[in-house]
Amino acid sequence: MSVSGQIDGSKDAPTLKIGLLWHTFFSENLGVGALTIANSSLIAEAVIKAGYRPIFHLFGSRGELEYSSECGHENHFSNVGYKALANPFSSLHREMRGCDIVFDIGAGDSFSDIYPWKRFNLILASKAAARMAGVPLVFSPQTIGPFFSGRAKIAGKGVMNMADHIFARDEASYAVLKEMGMEETSSLTTDVAFALPFDAPADKESRDLGTGPIKAGINVSAYLYRHADAPTDNVRLTVNYRDLVETILTRLTGDERYEVHLVPHVLKRSQPYEDDHSVAEELHQKFPSTILPARFHGPSEAKSYVANLDFLAGSRMHATIAAISSNTAVLPLGYSRKFNGLYDSIGYRRNADLTAENNDQVIAKFDAALADLPGLRAEAVAANAEAQRRLNLYRTSLEERIARLVKARA
């Protein structure tokens, strides 16, 4: 366990202990970190508005990075593992019982059997443990499903019945909730990463996207690029991802209008099939005119880098969210339902589906995007506005829920 962060709000204010399940400031996946920083910020706003000071207890996975300094509030961390979950006297269970409420975000998209069963079982068991701690359990905005097996559907519905409320971050997830009879305790909003803080460039509005120079980025997923080395999962691509990436880079680096940036978003040195940066280093050797930044230290730093681009093509969903939420033109290169589900819900239609289209079809979408960058950016700005509107629904719900919690404690 670790303690870090700075207290925000009055030091004399009473405290609320907020559990954040499947949140972490130690993940090499900056998407998970983006969810954690953004969600803790949104919850803290509601707590402070109610006249209290938040103390966050995070329950998740510990990785090699740490960026708890990007959170402006006192925070504690406990690792979630089978051993701790199996022991009712562990510090994990003790910390959960000490919370006033637990918000579970499922690492964004882990509430599904799209990934290996070992991971899904851990997600299920942790949700049950939070509810057994005797405190209110809320599912923060996340992907619900897909559930491929009957066993996953039954187990998923079982833990969802333990929640006070469930927030879906896209229509497809909300449809799953309705199909499973969870409509009365669920709401539709969007991904909290749209609220991740970042530094906006001063000159972006004045850049000429028609003639250049144009700052173009590509986010290459190591998980897809080295998929043959990854554990068994339910990801089935209809493209040759390596060829697709190299075709995109050949097009960009062959046109002097483009300043080409490689933008890693998962930085896991210990697992090459998950380390976007090592793949980017390999691609940088093949395309030496590209620009490869140093490893990012945290999600807000990565988003600030993306915000300085004019265009991004990316396969890590939160890298593409960093683009849209900073009003940057983007072509998502999606490999699961979560991409189309999220972007369709905010009216953004410029998505490439790597599980339904072939290389030629995706490249055609890529070429069309480059041919109309001003129009693409305008669509990104409109989609960001819709995302912020939906996110305000979550903000309002947080304020109401925290207010009720405070009233009940009075």
Side-chain angles (χ1 to χ4, degrees), residues 1 18 20 23 48 113-114 136 147 152 202 207 209 220 240 263 273-274 280 292 297 306 322 336 340-341 365 379 398:
M1 182 182 301
I18 310 296
L20 297 177
H23 296 68
I48 293 169
D113 59 343
I114 187 175
F147 302 115
R207 296 179 193 166
L209 298 185
V220 180
N240 183 315
V263 188
Y273 64 83
E274 281 282 23
L292 174 60
H297 295 98
V306 170
S336 78
N340 286 338
K365 289 187 174 182
E379 292 175 36
L398 287 174

Side-chain angles (χ1 to χ4, degrees), residues 18 41 97 193 196 212 236 247 264 296:
I18 310 296
S41 297
R97 289 192 294 268
L196 179 67
R236 300 290 183 269
T247 299
F296 297 123

